[in-house]
Amino acid sequence: MEIGIDSFAAAPDSGLSESQALNELLDRIVIADKVGLDSFGIGEHHREDFLDSAPTMILAAAAARTKNIRLTSAVTVLSAADPVRVFQNFATLDLISKGRAEIVAGRGSFTDAFPLFGYQLSDYDALFKEKLDLLLRLRQQERVTWSGRFRPSLYDQPVYPRPLQQKLPIWLGVGGTPASFVRAGELGLPLMVAVIGGQTHRFAPLVQSYRQAGEKAGFAPEELKVGLHSLGYVAESTENAIADYYPGYRKVFNKIGRERGFAPVTREGFDAQNARPQGALLVGEPVEVAEKIMHHSEALGGISRVTFQMDVGIAHDKLMKSIALIGDTLKPLLSS
């Protein structure tokens, strides 16, 4: 099982400058590479809380400082992007990183990109479907003829550069929409499931529908990979992990909750979502978290990759220690 870290490049809320925050993020990607983690993903947001509006810039900077770790989006908000530019950016990243780039294409959990780039939320699904079609066509063909509703047509248009990898990996990032799981299966794309609360096993029927759709479309079972993007953090003890993680988690999710009309976060609710073995949150000491990941993998019929999302205001030095602990202690537990 591959283990990775995802970051939304949280904006600093203390005396740290944005420049310092981004450079500390690059240091975390470097340590993740050194301790043997498999992937590091950068999200895409267009709001004050995060510094990841241009994720390929961050990933390219990381490519120059790392050797082995795969560099991916988490996720690329494809609905509000030009697929040609997305492909060119990640093809360039692939060349810089010597074949370590990946795309996780999704629609994102925030809608800020739609008014920013002149799109209508009423076209939410149609935009994504059309742009995903073009992105996959660009991956497959050097010269493209294509037409759609939301972008000017292409007529035998060559698109460069081409990536180093013969087939640039494109995952489909999904939340809880059943049609998205089926779409990923029909296209034979690996699936990255974002589970940010509740109990992970509730996604089992959706993952099963993904695999069924993929097999019906003629894809081999080994092509239908499932990844799990989870909120998580690892420390030497579960008590320390919760003490580090919960205050920032409460602050972040209370802010989002006020925007969306959710109930305030409580410690009881947090503990229920972090409970063993079903809880979706991966906050604890290495053995406990490893056992929970294996339970999730069994419940979902096998996981190929799990990624930790830690951006809840934890200090840089603690994040560095957590990443090292995940690489040095947790990952071997999942490989044994």
Side-chain angles (χ1 to χ4, degrees), residues 253-274:
F253 280 87
N254 274 339
K255 181 176 181 179
I256 295 172
R258 286 191 294 272
E259 294 176 4
R260 302 185 181 184
F262 297 159
V265 172
T266 66
R267 178 59 189 270
E268 292 75 18
F270 173 88
D271 288 341
Q273 294 184 83
N274 197 43

Side-chain angles (χ1 to χ4, degrees), residues 1 49 133 161 193 226 235 246 287 303 307 316 320 322 325 336:
M1 184 187 300
D49 315 64
D133 174 68
V193 186
V226 176
Y246 177 70
V287 173
I303 295 172
T307 62
H316 172 64
M320 293 281 279
S322 183
L325 195 59
S336 59

Side-chain angles (χ1 to χ4, degrees), residues 171 191 193 207 210-211 224-228 300 302-305:
W171 298 64
L191 188 73
V193 186
V207 172
Y210 159 70
R211 291 193 169 107
L224 303 172
K225 298 191 297 183
V226 176
L228 187 64
L300 298 181
I303 295 172
S304 298
R305 177 182 294 178

Side-chain angles (χ1 to χ4, degrees), residues 5 7 22-34 39-42 54-72 93-94 96-98 100-101:
I5 307 294
S7 174
L22 282 174
N23 279 280
E24 287 185 351
L25 172 58
L26 292 174
D27 289 341
R28 296 196 290 275
I29 302 176
V30 169
I31 191 65
D33 184 48
K34 287 182 177 178
S39 69
F40 206 108
I42 301 295
T56 51
M57 295 289 287
I58 301 172
L59 293 170
R65 296 180 57 186
T66 56
K67 295 181 179 179
N68 300 306
I69 197 164
R70 299 194 66 79
L71 301 167
T72 179
L93 174 64
D94 202 51
I96 294 170
S97 66
K98 300 179 181 179
R100 293 185 282 130

